[in-house]
């Protein structure tokens, strides 16, 4: 779909202290990984793909035009880095996926009859609840 090696070269990695499990280890090591990527200046995607990414991931792109992904799930910086790259690739694959075209269908004759029978049954039930007219 797209060249991940070239994409990997365009990513900027930052590391920060992260909370969560790890005790004192958390306070000493920078295991949180923050990936920053500029979709508009990418050489991996065509202009139409860039526009699609910009529109689909608009909520995740900040005012500087950066797409940021941060992961702090594990105690290992390397594992968090792998998770963050996988998350970014997954986001891009979903953004570039074309939606299936809906095929228009008509309800079958039996489904129409069932619907009308249920309507009649419901109507009869309501009519039985009414007080009789004198």
């Amino acid at each position: 779909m797209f060249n991940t090696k070239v994409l990997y070269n365009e990513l900027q990695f930052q590391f920060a202290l992260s909370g969560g499990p790890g005790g004192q280890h958390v306070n000493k090591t920078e295991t949180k990984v923050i990936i920053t990527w500029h979709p508009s200046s990418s050489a991996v995607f065509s202009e139409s793909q860039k526009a699609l990414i910009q529109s689909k991931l608009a909520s995740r792109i900040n005012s500087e035009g950066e797409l940021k992904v941060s992961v702090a799930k594990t105690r290992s910086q390397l594992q968090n880095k792998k998770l963050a790259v996988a998350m970014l690739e997954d986001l891009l694959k979903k953004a570039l996926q074309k939606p299936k075209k809906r095929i228009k269908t008509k309800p079958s004759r039996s489904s129409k009859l069932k619907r009308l029978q249920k309507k009649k049954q419901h109507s009869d039930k309501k009519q039985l609840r009414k007080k009789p007219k004198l």
Side-chain angles (χ1 to χ4, degrees):
M1 187 158 196
F2 53 87
N3 193 345
T4 53
K5 289 182 181 180
V6 178
L7 177 67
Y8 193 81
N9 291 334
E10 292 179 355
L11 303 178
Q12 296 171 345
F13 294 93
Q14 290 179 322
F15 305 100
L17 294 173
S18 64
Q24 184 61 31
H25 176 76
V26 173
N27 301 332
K28 297 189 297 184
T29 55
E30 294 184 335
T31 55
K32 181 179 183 177
V33 178
I34 303 164
I35 293 179
T36 307
W37 178 62
H38 293 273
S40 57
S41 62
S42 176
V44 180
F45 301 104
S46 67
E47 291 302 318
S48 61
Q49 288 176 323
K50 288 179 193 178
L52 196 60
I53 290 169
Q54 291 274 349
S55 64
K56 292 249 181 121
L57 300 176
S59 61
R60 295 190 72 113
I61 296 173
N62 63 17
S63 59
E64 287 89 42
E66 300 171 335
L67 177 72
K68 288 195 175 190
V69 176
S70 66
V71 175
K73 285 187 179 179
T74 67
R75 290 177 59 179
S76 165
Q77 188 183 87
L78 183 64
Q79 285 179 326
N80 282 338
K81 194 174 181 179
K82 287 178 183 176
L83 285 170
V85 170
M87 184 188 265
L88 180 69
E89 286 176 1
D90 190 45
L91 277 172
L92 293 174
K93 282 178 186 172
K94 284 182 181 176
L96 294 172
Q97 204 171 38
K98 291 193 171 118
K100 270 188 175 179
K101 190 174 181 181
R102 184 182 176 278
I103 301 168
K104 291 181 181 178
T105 59
K106 292 181 179 178
S108 64
R109 181 181 291 163
S110 64
S111 68
K112 286 179 186 177
L113 285 172
K114 280 181 189 175
R115 184 182 62 85
L116 291 173
Q117 285 172 349
K118 282 195 173 194
K119 276 182 79 167
K120 179 69 177 149
Q121 191 178 9
H122 192 68
S123 172
D124 291 342
K125 186 188 340 178
K126 297 283 188 181
Q127 289 298 321
L128 288 172
R129 291 179 186 163
K130 283 186 179 179
K131 289 184 181 176
K133 290 184 180 179
L134 295 174

